[in-house]
């Protein structure tokens, strides 16, 4: 009985998390207009998703924003983690605490604060994408830092100094010795940054131009409207995002498992 409880709890937990997504995926292949309504099989939602200009532009803009902000966040987060790792313990503690504040802070507070700081104080126009990019970098960089720090702690801290003693320049020691050791953490942080950017609503709401929509803001606005075709097309979009994320997660885990076997 005790042996059966564990698998049952795990199964129920997985069903609780993934059943709604699977149901949404099933309905994305039907002509039903509401969840719970029985409909026939159709690919109309996917055709609408990839042929409606507003949807295509929204998806392209969101992906471009996620890519640009994630690259910047990954560079800053990785640099901050490396700099903190090779600093004194007091500096490490200060940087660690400062990094935790954006992580635990509510997104709505971060978004509203960035809007006041960038638009009101610094006078940046919301007609540009600068406040939006800065907001997403601010959101993502701390998570990159948290992904890289554990890899640095697993690494021998004397490797950098050993590389310098053997004649390598600081730049070569960084790129040829340190980066390869923490590369998996950097990739994980980059993937996390992209996910956070795609998922963000509050920061985008407060910092985006009026004519631009991310997936999150578009979905919220669409659900308030009466365009049934757009709403059901968003079911298809959600399914596509889930499948892509699932494939990436499986790929990263398989790659990590193979790397672990090679090290053994």
């Amino acid at each position: 009985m005790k042996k059966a409880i564990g698998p049952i709890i795990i199964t129920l937990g997985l069903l609780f998390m993934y059943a709604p997504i699977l149901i949404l995926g099933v309905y994305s292949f039907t002509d039903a207009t509401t969840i719970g309504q029985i409909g026939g099989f159709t690919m109309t939602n996917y055709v609408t998703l990839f042929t409606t200009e507003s949807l295509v532009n929204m998806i392209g803009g969101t992906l471009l924003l996620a890519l640009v902000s994630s690259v910047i966040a990954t560079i800053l987060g990785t640099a901050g983690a490396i700099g903190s790792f090779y600093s004194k313990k007091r500096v490490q503690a200060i940087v660690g605490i400062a990094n935790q504040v954006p992580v635990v802070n509510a997104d709505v507070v971060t978004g509203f604060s960035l809007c006041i700081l960038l638009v009101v104080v610094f006078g940046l126009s919301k007609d540009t994408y600068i406040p939006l990019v800065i907001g997403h970098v601010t959101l993502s960089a701390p998570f990159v830092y948290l992904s890289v720090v554990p890899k640095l702690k697993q690494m021998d801290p004397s490797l950098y100094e050993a590389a310098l003693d053997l004649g390598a320049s600081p730049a070569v020691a960084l790129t040829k010795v340190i980066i390869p050791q923490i590369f998996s953490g950097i990739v994980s942080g980059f993937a996390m940054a992209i996910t956070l950017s795609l998922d963000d609503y509050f920061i985008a709401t407060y910092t985006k131009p009026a004519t631009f929509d991310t997936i999150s803001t578009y979905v919220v606005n669409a659900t308030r409207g009466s365009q049934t075709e757009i709403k059901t097309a968003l079911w298809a979009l959600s399914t596509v995002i889930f499948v892509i994320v699932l494939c990436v997660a499986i790929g990263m885990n398989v790659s990590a498992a193979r790397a672990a076997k090679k090290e053994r």
Side-chain angles (χ1 to χ4, degrees):
M1 187 65 181
K2 290 182 179 179
K3 292 181 179 179
I5 292 176
I8 291 174
I9 293 175
I10 293 174
T11 302
L12 291 175
L14 291 174
L15 285 174
F16 180 78
M17 289 189 295
Y18 291 106
I21 301 175
L22 295 176
I23 292 172
L24 186 65
V26 170
Y27 272 92
S28 70
F29 290 99
T30 69
D31 56 6
T33 57
T34 58
I35 300 295
Q37 178 183 357
I38 298 176
F41 175 82
T42 180
M43 295 293 293
T44 302
N45 293 330
Y46 290 87
V47 173
T48 302
L49 175 64
F50 294 109
T51 57
T52 304
E53 185 178 358
S54 62
L55 288 171
V56 173
N57 291 338
M58 176 269 295
I59 295 170
T62 303
L63 293 176
L64 181 60
L65 170 65
L67 182 61
V68 172
S69 64
S70 297
V71 168
I72 298 173
T74 301
I75 294 172
L76 294 178
T78 302
I82 295 174
S84 172
F85 181 72
Y86 285 102
S87 300
K88 296 180 180 179
K89 290 185 178 180
R90 181 176 296 179
V91 176
Q92 290 181 10
I94 294 173
V95 174
I97 293 172
N99 184 81
Q100 290 175 8
V101 173
V103 173
V104 300
N105 196 23
D107 285 353
V108 63
V109 177
T110 302
F112 191 61
S113 301
L114 285 170
C115 179
I116 294 174
L117 177 66
L118 299 176
V119 178
V120 178
V121 178
F122 291 130
L124 295 177
S125 174
K126 285 186 65 177
D127 293 333
T128 68
Y129 294 94
I130 295 176
L132 180 59
V133 173
I134 293 176
H136 277 218
V137 170
T138 303
L139 172 68
S140 304
F143 290 90
V144 177
Y145 177 95
L146 293 176
S147 298
V148 174
V149 166
K151 292 298 179 182
L152 286 167
K153 291 181 178 179
Q154 294 173 7
M155 181 188 69
D156 186 348
S158 63
L159 286 176
Y160 180 75
E161 294 179 359
L164 296 180
D165 291 340
L166 292 173
S169 65
V172 171
L174 176 65
T175 56
K176 299 294 185 180
V177 178
I178 305 299
I179 298 298
Q181 293 287 326
I182 62 174
F183 187 70
S184 60
I186 295 174
V187 172
S188 298
F190 178 73
M192 178 69 75
I194 288 182
T195 302
L196 289 169
S197 179
L198 293 175
D199 186 57
D200 172 67
Y201 171 73
F202 289 107
I203 292 176
T205 298
Y206 287 116
T207 58
K208 73 179 184 68
T211 57
F212 178 79
D213 269 315
T214 64
I215 291 176
S216 297
T217 59
Y218 190 96
V219 167
V220 172
N221 293 331
T223 54
R224 293 172 179 171
S226 58
Q227 294 178 293
T228 303
E229 286 187 358
I230 298 298
K231 290 180 181 179
T232 54
L234 293 175
W235 298 351
L237 176 60
S238 301
T239 304
V240 170
I241 293 174
F242 173 72
V243 171
I244 292 174
V245 170
L246 181 63
C247 291
V248 170
I250 293 174
M252 291 178 64
N253 281 277
V254 170
S255 178
R258 289 179 179 175
K261 286 183 179 179
K262 289 182 180 179
E263 290 179 358
R264 293 174 184 175

